[in-house]
Amino acid sequence: MTETSVVIRSFNEADTIERVLDAVEAQAYSDFEVVLVDSGSTDGTLDVAAPRVDTVVEIDPRDFTFGYSLNVGCDAAEGRFLAFLSAHAIPTDEHWLGPMVENLRDDDVAMTYSKQRGVESTKLPEERHFEELFPDERTVQTPPDYFANNASSAIERSLWEQHQFDEYLTGLEDIEWAKHFMDRGYVVVYEPAACIYHIHDESWEQVFTRFEREAIAAREIGVRSPGDAVHEYARLPVDIVGDVLAAARRGELDGETLRNVLGFRYHQRRGAATGLRAEPELQENRYEFFYGGANEHVVVSEPGVASVEREPLPAVKPNDVLLAVTHVGVSDDDLALYHGRSPPVEPDTYPVTPGREYVGRVVDAGANVERVAEGEVVVGEATLHCETCEHCTNGDRGRCPDRQRLGLDVDGSYSHYLVVPSDHVHAVPSSLAHQTATLARPLATVLDGLERVGGLQNGQSSVAVLGGGLLGNLSARLLASEGSDVTVFEGRSTLREALPSSVHAEDAAADQLTAFDLVLETDGSTASLDAAVGSAAPRVVLLGAPYPDESLTADGGAALDRDVTVATVVDPSPSQYDAALDRLTGLRADGLTGQVLPFEEYERAWTVADRELRTVLAVNGR
């Protein structure tokens, strides 16, 4: 078995990869294999490297994080020891790997890392930065000296198996890993006998971003605090003076050197200060600092079994938007999924993430997105359609052959981040509370049904609403606000205490529906459906679909022998979402959003919602 695995991370490193591999192959210590983890290179890196390494692991560039790429490489490696090298870091001689491996033979050593120096093209301030971080003296580090650097380092595989690299940090995955074990009694060894040439060819913007993302990570790890931002600015004149004096001593002080000093130090210190002071909104956008990112979502693996799982951020295609979810309404579909009730849950649904009624902030938008912009708060539709088939273009989206229901057919919105097509989201008015906006889908369903049967007629229409749950309550509030005489006949669920005083409430429908101009069925039960279609009302709207029987015809109507207008709403149209958001700004929604609970208390939310109380989850409390 190979004793050591050298894991090299690459992305478009054609300019340096050959020199890196030459230097690795020339090592005096030779009991190693080479594993290359490539993040989607397009410049010929793999053409050069693949024939010369033992294993190539390719990852989608959208999945890249520093920790993720290392973990993938470690998983593919066979060695007892794991050495890490960036594909733009070149060992300076044949004694790079051996000294680090020797350090790991001490059971107290968790990690060792090497010295770093620049090359001829390295800017003077960057070279001095290397000298500050990587001196000539060997050091055995103990807390609170947690510094380490994975551009050139080594660890023991058995420790990695206990604690892998954090895949969700914007940087400093090496320091997080070192801190984990140092806090448990291990030490980290800085070994200057091993050395690399670290090549950084960055624009000033890239310098700023590097130090910003590292500062954000330092805050998350807990090794720095926002108060340290003042120190960054205080160091700026000290660094500049030190660089200028060093350049003068070396005889290199000229206009270009001075520009490099000012540019590097300004962007270094400002980037770090910005990251240290970053508000949570900035940290939400961590995916901007690398190709992939972090996401947590609730997964129901089987009826009654749910857990929070982590995964890379979903990919954003040209027509997609990435939402940072703020609030999720608990719907009947979520409860049915968790409890395994049917309809609408089928056995092959699992595992899946629930969530059909959600509000989020747009944090990234694909190249073709025009309807919404980054930073906007939106409501997303509960069902995704192709928007191109004849059913979608004719307004009958419920029959789209590619129809996918969030939280049932595909992962839903119980998630920190969610990707949806931009033509399936709708801007939330600034005056509307986020938790109230989660009512947009059920209200859109009501509005769509009313439109399908011609809307209200003759002003003071008499309306019977079957079912006192959320749909029934919203229907009653909407119609009463427009002057209708509304009676709610409570079915299997009720929010009676939330009904407005202008609405009548009865305990059963029976044969009391003959006098109404319009009947809205919202309960979804067989008895309620039979009462609605069996009434003498000239217009019937079926909102409680899917129903637990075969009473409906294939085209979504009802099997009736008399002349009556019946409409079944499967998926409300996009225009009705916009109309619902507009109506919600003036419609009293008190009592309908129930409790607002933290994302982590999703199981408690389901318990509360099972008691017929409307409940909203706040993701990250945003």
Side-chain angles (χ1 to χ4, degrees), residues 465-468 487-497 499 503-513 523 527-528 531:
V465 177
L466 307 186
T487 300
V488 173
F489 294 91
E490 298 171 346
R492 62 181 178 178
S493 61
T494 180
L495 284 168
R496 178 192 277 256
E497 70 281 0
L499 286 169
V503 174
H504 312 294
E506 302 289 343
D507 289 331
D511 57 355
Q512 303 175 51
L513 303 180
D523 197 47
S528 184

Side-chain angles (χ1 to χ4, degrees), residues 14-15 18 27 34 157 165 204 211 230 262 282 299 306 394 398 401 439 441 459 478 497 533 564:
D15 290 342
E18 187 170 14
Q27 291 302 297
V34 178
R157 181 186 183 87
F165 291 102
W204 296 136
F211 286 99
V230 175
L262 295 175
L282 176 60
V299 176
N394 292 334
L439 299 172
R441 180 177 79 102
L478 175 69
E497 70 281 0
V533 298
V564 60

Side-chain angles (χ1 to χ4, degrees), residues 4 48 54 57 59 79 89 138 153 201 206 217 266 269 303 320 322 330 338-339 405 436 467 538 562 591 600:
T4 302
V48 175
D54 298 282
V57 181
I59 63 175
R138 183 177 185 271
S153 64
D201 184 17
Q206 289 171 322
Y266 172 75
R269 296 302 179 184
D320 288 347
L322 176 65
V330 178
Y338 180 63
H339 294 298
R405 299 166 297 171
T436 304
R562 60 190 179 82
E600 293 77 13

Side-chain angles (χ1 to χ4, degrees), residues 25 30 38 103 118 135 164 202 213 249 251 260 313 325 360 382 410 455 509 527 564 604 611 616:
E25 291 171 1
S30 60
D38 188 79
N103 284 324
Q164 297 189 5
E202 298 174 318
R213 61 172 173 74
R249 286 194 299 270
N260 287 337
L313 279 173
V325 180
V410 294
V564 60
R604 181 183 167 207
R611 301 193 197 112
V616 182

Side-chain angles (χ1 to χ4, degrees), residues 361-422:
R361 181 178 294 105
V362 178
V363 293
D364 191 23
N368 297 336
V369 175
E370 298 180 352
R371 295 183 65 251
V372 292
E374 292 182 22
E376 279 194 83
V377 176
V378 298
V379 159
E381 296 178 24
T383 307
L384 308 180
H385 307 84
C386 72
E387 304 299 340
T388 58
C389 71
E390 61 174 325
H391 303 295
C392 288
T393 55
N394 292 334
D396 190 13
R397 302 163 92 215
R399 299 177 67 189
C400 172
D402 296 321
R403 174 177 177 265
Q404 292 183 310
R405 299 166 297 171
L406 266 68
L408 294 171
D409 303 316
V410 294
D411 285 344
S413 55
Y414 281 51
S415 180
H416 289 289
Y417 293 93
L418 180 69
V419 166
V420 292
S422 63

Side-chain angles (χ1 to χ4, degrees), residues 546-557:
Y547 296 92
D549 68 359
E550 302 299 326
S551 298
L552 302 183
T553 62
D555 62 359

Side-chain angles (χ1 to χ4, degrees), residues 292-491:
N295 197 21
E296 287 187 330
H297 57 160
V298 176
V299 176
V300 180
S301 54
E302 59 183 272
V305 179
S307 61
V308 174
E309 298 183 4
R310 305 180 86 183
E311 64 174 13
L313 279 173
V316 179
K317 298 190 290 294
N319 187 46
D320 288 347
V321 289
L322 176 65
L323 304 181
V325 180
T326 63
H327 291 79
V328 181
V330 178
S331 70
D332 287 342
D333 289 335
D334 302 335
L335 300 177
L337 176 70
Y338 180 63
H339 294 298
R341 295 197 293 257
S342 181
V345 181
E346 302 295 336
D348 60 357
T349 296
Y350 304 96
V352 73
T353 294
R356 308 202 67 205
E357 299 168 2
Y358 57 98
V359 176
R361 181 178 294 105
V362 178
V363 293
D364 191 23
N368 297 336
V369 175
E370 298 180 352
R371 295 183 65 251
V372 292
E374 292 182 22
E376 279 194 83
V377 176
V378 298
V379 159
E381 296 178 24
T383 307
L384 308 180
H385 307 84
C386 72
E387 304 299 340
T388 58
C389 71
E390 61 174 325
H391 303 295
C392 288
T393 55
N394 292 334
D396 190 13
R397 302 163 92 215
R399 299 177 67 189
C400 172
D402 296 321
R403 174 177 177 265
Q404 292 183 310
R405 299 166 297 171
L406 266 68
L408 294 171
D409 303 316
V410 294
D411 285 344
S413 55
Y414 281 51
S415 180
H416 289 289
Y417 293 93
L418 180 69
V419 166
V420 292
S422 63
D423 42 15
H424 286 72
V425 299
H426 306 268
V428 175
S430 59
S431 58
L432 187 61
H434 291 187
Q435 59 263 37
T436 304
T438 62
L439 299 172
R441 180 177 79 102
L443 185 56
T445 300
V446 176
L447 293 172
D448 202 309
L450 292 173
E451 183 178 89
R452 288 170 186 259
V453 296
L456 294 176
Q457 296 176 357
N458 302 322
Q460 297 292 324
S461 299
S462 60
V463 181
V465 177
L466 307 186
L470 180 66
L471 273 175
N473 215 297
L474 277 171
S475 300
R477 288 173 187 241
L478 175 69
L479 294 167
S481 71
E482 298 186 351
S484 293
D485 182 14
V486 182
T487 300
V488 173
F489 294 91
E490 298 171 346

